[in-house]
Amino acid sequence: MTPDARATPPTDAATSARFKKQKRRDTKPEVALRKELHRAGLRYFVDKAPLEGMRRRADVVFPRRRVAVYVDGCFWHSCPVHATHPRNNAQWWADKLAANVARDRDTDRRLDEAGWTVVRIWEHEDPAVAAVRVTEAVRPGA
């Protein structure tokens, strides 16, 4: 993100207010996934930093198994299938979304280097199918 990108507001006041109302945790896709994981007998932490001192929080964390799960929104994380690109203030949004993706990759790298498994789920994925992927990461070979 360019230094000037933060100085320019992302869009008009009404749109900005709408974005501020969006949940940071407990979104519908997260809750649906957690219900499936709980149904599978898994217990986990919610909205927790996997590593001490790491300001980035995972949506679901299995600390003993060192598995961090992120449920990524298609807009905010530039889903290859459903990503959209706002026309208002297009460069600001392009920089913002590119920075989100870069931060995701950096998070994955840092956790991998610390011996963690990262599971990324897109918000559009079927929660039952996603739960199987998470279960396989938490219980390898089960």
Side-chain angles (χ1 to χ4, degrees):
M1 185 180 301
T2 63
D4 296 339
R6 290 189 186 259
T8 307
T11 188
D12 60 81
T15 303
S16 188
R18 189 173 68 243
F19 279 129
K20 284 181 182 178
K21 287 183 181 180
Q22 290 196 330
K23 291 180 171 185
R24 190 179 70 81
R25 62 171 276 179
D26 299 333
T27 63
K28 287 180 184 179
E30 287 176 31
V31 171
L33 175 64
R34 292 193 325 237
K35 283 181 181 179
E36 291 294 333
L37 295 174
H38 196 271
R39 187 177 292 128
L42 298 177
R43 300 302 177 258
Y44 44 81
F45 289 91
V46 174
D47 190 39
K48 179 177 173 52
L51 297 176
E52 271 305 308
M54 186 175 183
R55 292 186 55 204
R56 300 168 191 171
R57 304 171 74 80
D59 298 309
V60 177
V61 179
F62 300 89
R64 288 189 187 136
R65 297 295 186 170
R66 298 176 75 108
V67 174
V69 181
Y70 294 87
V71 181
D72 292 338
C74 291
F75 173 76
W76 294 107
H77 298 271
S78 299
C79 169
V81 177
H82 300 107
T84 58
H85 306 282
R87 283 180 271 170
N88 283 352
N89 212 350
Q91 190 57 56
W92 188 93
W93 281 108
D95 292 345
K96 166 68 176 150
L97 298 175
N100 288 354
V101 172
R103 186 177 58 246
D104 292 345
R105 298 298 75 79
D106 181 61
T107 299
D108 295 350
R109 180 190 55 75
R110 290 169 63 184
L111 288 172
D112 183 60
E113 288 173 357
W116 283 71
T117 299
V118 176
V119 180
R120 293 243 174 218
I121 308 292
W122 288 110
E123 71 175 325
H124 66 264
E125 289 186 60
D126 179 286
V129 174
V132 169
R133 285 186 26 226
V134 174
T135 302
E136 290 170 351
V138 173
R139 297 178 180 155

